[in-house]
Amino acid sequence: KVSHGLPFAQKYGLGGHWKNFNLTEIAGPDSPAHDVTRTDAGDFYPAGPPYLATARDMMNITTKWTEFVPRVYLQYPELLAEMFAFCIPAAHLEL
């Protein structure tokens, strides 16, 4: 069940690749995304559409997503950069 603080997304085969990025440059030195293990990154954050969330959670995710996308793209100017950039704010916001 989707509820505030518990969004849902389709699990994609992205794994925890975003843990290879310089998260300090993307999300800052104090981001909770640093604390996500590679295993948890692959199990809980390889998300893609469809996304289901409360309006508040989605607003928080998309606000950080639009902030992080250009930073991810600087490190990974490839297809799926925007997908990895979605995983990071979800971890950053501990969702």
Side-chain angles (χ1 to χ4, degrees), residues 24-37:
T24 300
E25 288 183 8
I26 295 168
D30 299 323
S31 173
H34 291 286
D35 299 329
V36 175
T37 66

Side-chain angles (χ1 to χ4, degrees), residues 18-19 32-42 45 91-92:
W18 59 270
K19 292 292 289 181
H34 291 286
D35 299 329
V36 175
T37 66
R38 185 168 297 280
T39 299
D40 283 351
Y45 293 102
H92 175 79

Side-chain angles (χ1 to χ4, degrees), residues 30-73:
D30 299 323
S31 173
H34 291 286
D35 299 329
V36 175
T37 66
R38 185 168 297 280
T39 299
D40 283 351
D43 288 344
F44 300 112
Y45 293 102
Y51 306 111
L52 300 171
T54 63
R56 183 173 21 168
D57 282 347
M58 190 55 79
M59 181 65 173
N60 290 334
I61 293 169
T62 57
T63 298
K64 286 297 181 187
W65 188 21
T66 58
E67 181 183 329
F68 293 172
V69 165
R71 298 175 193 168
V72 171
Y73 190 77

Side-chain angles (χ1 to χ4, degrees), residues 3 5 9 11-12 15 28 34 36 48 50 56-57 66 80 88 90 93-94:
S3 59
K11 185 172 183 178
Y12 277 44
H34 291 286
V36 175
R56 183 173 21 168
D57 282 347
T66 58
L80 300 180
I88 297 168
L93 297 167
E94 301 179 285

